Amino acid sequence: MRANQMKNVRILIYGAGAIGSIFGGKLAFSGVDITMLARGKRFEELKKNDIILKNVINGKVERIKVQI
């Protein structure tokens, strides 16, 4: 799939834990329309802080806004 076709893709991530957040964050960063399904404390964390990913190799921090 080409990069411009990925912008038309919509994905629901069912589960906003560590793995779901990594996949959702990376996909959203690349331009895919992501919605995360979260509840309780995790819902509030994502609503307040978005998804925060830290690259362990270079220390770069990415903050990615997704629909919750």
Side-chain angles (χ1 to χ4, degrees):
M1 200 175 277
R2 295 182 185 158
N4 62 347
Q5 291 173 318
M6 290 300 290
K7 292 181 181 179
N8 296 326
V9 174
R10 298 179 68 202
I11 297 176
L12 169 66
I13 305 287
Y14 185 83
I19 302 300
S21 293
I22 291 169
F23 278 100
K26 291 295 185 181
L27 286 167
F29 188 74
S30 69
V32 177
D33 183 4
I34 297 294
T35 300
M36 303 287 297
L37 183 61
R39 61 188 176 127
K41 183 180 175 185
R42 185 63 178 148
F43 172 81
E44 295 300 327
E45 289 172 354
L46 288 173
K47 188 175 175 182
K48 180 181 177 186
N49 302 317
D50 305 320
I51 293 176
I52 300 171
L53 299 177
K54 182 177 181 182
N55 186 318
V56 295
I57 296 172
N58 63 14
K60 183 178 176 183
V61 175
E62 299 169 335
R63 187 175 193 151
I64 301 125
K65 180 108 177 121
V66 295
Q67 296 180 58
I68 306 161

